[in-house]
Amino acid sequence: MKPKLLVTREVFDETLDYLAQHCEVESNQQDIPLDPGTLAQRLRDKDGVACCLTDRIDDQLLASCPQLKVVANIAVGYNNIDLAACTARGVMATNTPEVLTDTTADLAFALMLATARRLTEAEAYIRAGQWQGWHLKQMLGVDVHHATLGIIGMGRIGRVIARRAQGFEMRVIYHDPVRLAADIEQRLKATYASKDELLAQADFVILQMPYMPQTHHLIGAAELKKMKPSAILINSTRGGIVDDAALIRALKDGTIRAAGLDTFEGEPQLNPGFLELKNVVLAPHIGSSTEATRRAMAMTAAKNAVAALTGGTPPNVLNPEAKSNK
Ligand code: DGY
């Protein structure tokens, strides 16, 4: 008998075809997020789940599906999963690193350029029929080239952003709990800085770390005050890392110049204060959303799930020790 797997949200046909070769698949192709009760009920008899960051996989849910062996997240971030609870209950959890690194770095860069050059504001101006003609002081932005870029979180995506920055001849400084080896710093032309030094010097601050209790409100009112009034903040990693209410105040009173945001606290219910501001560029958590990358993420998750359900160790297992707890 094939193992039973639930796919909680819409995926691509090739993902379902691949899964169907190995599993008995039930999928939610209507793509309406499953509420916790429905998710628990549909997972009760399942051996595996391919899920998304919109699904909360916590201990209570795991307790109600004792057969579950694998939680395959279709995302690199996994703050929707209680990893310790998975490990304790012998459930392997997996994510999708690597396949989205470049795409997500591109979006961070796109937000930086769009915010610096006021692109969404400019487009809204044209669409509103306000453009009367060229003039010298129109929509003055700031330069990205030769500016100082501060990257907080120098993992895979942070490093790729640093490489992109070389093309714009930017000075790159970074902060991370773990300092990079000297040869990597050299290759990336990135200089280590304390968080405070980075906040004080950067023209652009890009956040690129996972959300976890230690990174909750890593950027709040105090940190925003340490930034230059001309600085721009980019958050395309996870909501909750920035105190959004404090950011709105800082954008209103000129503590910083602007922000480019792809992730929000409590998304998709973002703080309505953002909508009143011209100096933000807003995107609906599309960092990894290109056709090729989303297909690759779904297939990576599918392969992780199948590996776990056929007795193997998934390539992207986050808690290999879970296997021995089942
Ligand atoms: C991730 O993979 O964590 C992304 O945020 C999902 O788009």
Side-chain angles (χ1 to χ4, degrees):
M1 226 171 56
K2 285 178 175 176
K4 292 184 178 168
L5 177 108
L6 175 71
V7 182
T8 64
R9 299 292 299 270
E10 187 178 12
V11 290
F12 301 93
D13 288 347
E14 77 262 15
T15 326
L16 289 178
D17 290 347
Y18 171 77
L19 285 169
Q21 290 167 28
H22 305 274
C23 310
E24 200 179 299
V25 182
E26 185 180 310
S27 73
N28 172 27
Q29 292 298 289
Q30 284 87 26
D31 205 32
I32 300 162
L34 302 174
D35 63 70
T38 311
L39 183 60
Q41 188 251 317
R42 291 184 70 170
L43 274 182
R44 199 156 297 152
D45 63 340
K46 300 296 182 299
D47 303 292
V49 60
C51 61
C52 297
L53 50 88
T54 49
D55 302 304
R56 177 107 227 104
I57 310 290
D58 57 17
D59 193 49
Q60 196 185 341
L61 177 84
L62 294 170
S64 67
C65 32
Q67 253 174 256
L68 206 66
K69 290 180 197 65
V70 62
V71 173
N73 218 30
I74 309 175
V76 65
Y78 51 89
N79 54 304
N80 57 312
I81 300 173
D82 183 337
L83 196 60
C86 283
T87 306
R89 292 186 182 276
V91 178
M92 283 184 264
T94 67
N95 69 342
T96 63
E98 314 284 359
V99 291
L100 47 66
T101 304
D102 280 291
T103 300
T104 309
D106 283 354
L107 196 273
F109 234 87
L111 282 176
M112 182 163 68
L113 288 164
T115 311
R117 301 304 301 272
R118 302 169 63 180
L119 269 189
T120 54
E121 190 189 342
E123 182 174 354
Y125 176 79
I126 289 190
R127 286 183 189 273
Q130 289 175 324
W131 191 27
Q132 302 294 322
W134 188 93
H135 63 97
L136 194 66
K137 292 187 180 174
Q138 194 167 42
M139 295 258 163
L140 298 176
V142 291
D143 286 322
V144 171
H145 68 84
H146 295 98
T148 297
L149 171 61
I151 303 172
I152 307 186
M154 205 57 153
R156 291 187 192 89
I157 301 171
R159 295 179 206 191
V160 170
I161 292 170
R163 289 215 312 266
R164 302 269 185 287
Q166 289 182 22
F168 282 74
E169 298 180 67
M170 300 180 88
R171 170 181 169 241
V172 178
I173 53 179
Y174 78 96
H175 181 73
D176 192 280
V178 185
R179 187 170 174 169
L180 298 175
D183 61 322
I184 303 178
E185 283 186 353
Q186 232 165 39
R187 213 176 321 128
L188 296 175
K189 298 191 172 61
T191 307
Y192 183 82
S194 71
K195 188 173 145 202
D196 281 358
E197 282 166 352
L198 182 147
L199 292 173
Q201 292 176 26
D203 299 307
F204 298 90
V205 174
I206 292 190
L207 307 174
Q208 209 56 72
M209 74 290 290
Y211 178 77
M212 51 178 120
Q214 301 90 304
T215 59
H216 180 75
H217 286 186
L218 187 90
I219 301 292
E223 289 73 23
L224 290 160
K225 271 204 197 95
K226 290 176 184 165
M227 291 171 66
K228 301 189 211 178
S230 56
I232 291 178
L233 177 72
I234 306 297
N235 182 15
S236 54
T237 180
R238 275 294 182 273
I241 291 177
V242 177
D243 176 345
D244 282 356
L247 175 59
I248 289 167
R249 284 196 299 276
L251 290 166
K252 270 191 185 151
D253 67 18
T255 302
I256 64 168
R257 178 184 176 91
L261 307 170
D262 185 46
T263 53
F264 305 87
E265 280 192 288
E267 63 185 48
Q269 269 83 44
L270 72 163
N271 189 319
F274 283 124
L275 303 178
E276 294 161 16
L277 297 171
K278 280 189 174 173
N279 53 345
V280 280
V281 173
L282 306 171
H285 203 147
I286 53 167
S288 59
S289 191
T290 64
E291 175 93 28
T293 294
R294 287 282 165 92
R295 282 184 189 277
M297 288 164 67
M299 193 54 97
T300 302
K303 289 189 174 160
N304 282 327
V306 167
L309 295 176
T310 53
T313 300
N316 306 118
V317 65
L318 296 161
N319 56 349
E321 67 278 24
K323 218 175 170 181
S324 52
N325 291 347
K326 199 73 176 174

